[in-house]
């Protein structure tokens, strides 16, 4: 019978204590790593969310700018189109030495030139006339009853000297050596065809009277 008491060596006890300490330290280290990882993940999520919001805001601004650019481009195109239309609607009446800018409704303006010499006391003066209509108005009626020959839209006249208020015509513009006057039609050009077509003539007369302000010398 072995009567010697069982003993544990000091080395074995120290080893267990060392292992126990390392185990606790390892857990602490792992917890620290986990906490750092969680913190980094939270920071990354917050940072990415902030970046996403910034990107969304920038995309919205870019879209707004693109819309403004498109609008400006359309405005410029429309302005260029309007300028081209206006340029195409400049009517020159070379016999009278003038030009005028008309709206689209009068872009097909036509005229017939006539001249006459009149006496004012001992003075003889030449009057040059442009009898006005449009192709549209002429085509609306039969037998050219509303053509330029019948002055459906009135008469523009040129005469040397200074305009006198006693004249039956209306002064359009006084130039240094001559003036331009306008005589409106005394009656509707087609008394036998009074219908809805007369509205076209009436509107064209109104448009012409507005356009007379643009008369310039060639």
């Amino acid at each position: 019978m072995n009567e010697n008491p069982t003993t544990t060596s000091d080395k074995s006890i120290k080893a267990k204590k060392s292992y126990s300490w390392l185990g606790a330290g390892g857990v602490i280290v792992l917890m620290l790593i986990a906490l750092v990882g969680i913190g980094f993940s939270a920071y990354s999520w917050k940072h990415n969310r902030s970046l996403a919001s910034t990107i969304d805001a920038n995309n919205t601004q870019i879209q707004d700018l693109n819309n403004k650019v498109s609008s400006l481009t359309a405005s410029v195109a429309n302005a260029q189109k309007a300028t081209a239309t206006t340029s195409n609607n400049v009517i020159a009446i070379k016999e009278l030495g003038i030009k005028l800018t008309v709206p689209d409704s009068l872009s097909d303006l036509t005229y017939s030139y006539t001249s006459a010499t009149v006496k004012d006391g001992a003075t003889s003066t030449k009057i040059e006339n442009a009898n006005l209509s449009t192709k549209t108005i002429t085509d609306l009626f039969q037998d050219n009853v509303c053509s330029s020959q019948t002055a459906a839209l009135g008469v523009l006249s040129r005469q040397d000297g200074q305009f006198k208020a006693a004249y039956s015509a209306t002064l359009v513009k006084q130039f240094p050596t001559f003036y331009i006057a306008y005589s409106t039609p005394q009656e509707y050009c087609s008394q036998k065809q009074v219908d809805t077509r007369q509205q076209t003539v009436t509107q064209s007369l109104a448009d012409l009277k507005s356009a007379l302000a643009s008369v310039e010398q060639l």
Side-chain angles (χ1 to χ4, degrees):
M1 182 176 180
N2 187 1
E3 295 181 354
N4 292 329
T6 301
T7 60
T8 302
S9 67
D10 292 339
K11 291 183 179 181
S12 176
I13 294 173
K14 289 180 180 181
K16 290 181 179 181
K17 289 182 177 181
S18 176
Y19 293 151
S20 298
W21 181 84
L22 288 175
V27 171
I28 292 173
V29 170
L30 290 175
M31 289 178 65
L32 289 175
I33 291 173
L35 288 174
V36 169
I38 293 171
F40 181 77
S41 297
Y43 170 79
S44 298
W45 176 82
K46 185 177 181 180
H47 182 65
N48 290 336
R49 184 176 181 182
S50 177
L51 285 177
S53 298
T54 301
I55 291 172
D56 290 339
N58 289 338
N59 287 336
T60 301
Q61 291 180 351
I62 291 171
Q63 185 61 44
D64 290 341
L65 289 173
N66 287 336
N67 292 337
K68 290 179 180 179
V69 169
S70 298
S71 178
L72 287 173
T73 302
S75 297
V76 170
N78 289 334
Q80 291 174 343
K81 181 179 180 181
T83 300
T85 300
T86 301
S87 298
N88 290 335
N89 288 354
V90 175
I91 307 297
I93 304 177
K94 62 181 180 179
E95 291 85 354
L96 304 188
I98 61 170
K99 62 181 178 180
L100 68 156
T101 302
V102 299
D104 289 342
S105 61
L106 298 176
S107 61
D108 59 345
L109 189 72
T110 59
Y111 69 91
S112 297
Y113 173 77
T114 62
S115 64
T117 300
V118 297
K119 287 188 176 182
D120 185 2
T123 305
S124 296
T125 305
K126 182 180 181 180
I127 299 179
E128 299 176 279
N129 300 317
N131 305 312
L132 306 173
S133 185
T134 66
K135 185 178 184 303
T136 298
I137 292 174
T138 301
D139 292 345
L140 282 175
F141 301 89
Q142 298 175 356
D143 302 324
N144 290 328
V145 294
C146 288
S147 65
S148 59
Q149 284 82 6
T150 61
L153 296 181
V155 181
L156 277 176
S157 301
R158 170 178 172 151
Q159 187 169 352
D160 292 338
Q162 298 295 310
F163 179 80
K164 296 179 181 180
Y167 293 161
S168 59
T170 301
L171 177 65
V172 173
K173 193 166 187 178
Q174 177 70 58
F175 294 96
T177 60
F178 69 95
Y179 64 85
I180 298 295
Y182 174 72
S183 300
T184 190
Q186 297 301 309
E187 59 184 11
Y188 178 50
C189 58
S190 179
Q191 295 300 316
K192 294 182 180 180
Q193 301 179 58
V194 180
D195 51 31
T196 56
R197 291 174 291 184
Q198 185 177 359
Q199 297 175 1
T200 301
V201 178
T202 301
Q203 184 59 55
S204 296
L205 274 170
D207 293 342
L208 176 63
K209 290 176 180 179
S210 298
L212 291 178
S214 68
V215 167
E216 297 179 2
Q217 187 173 2
L218 286 175

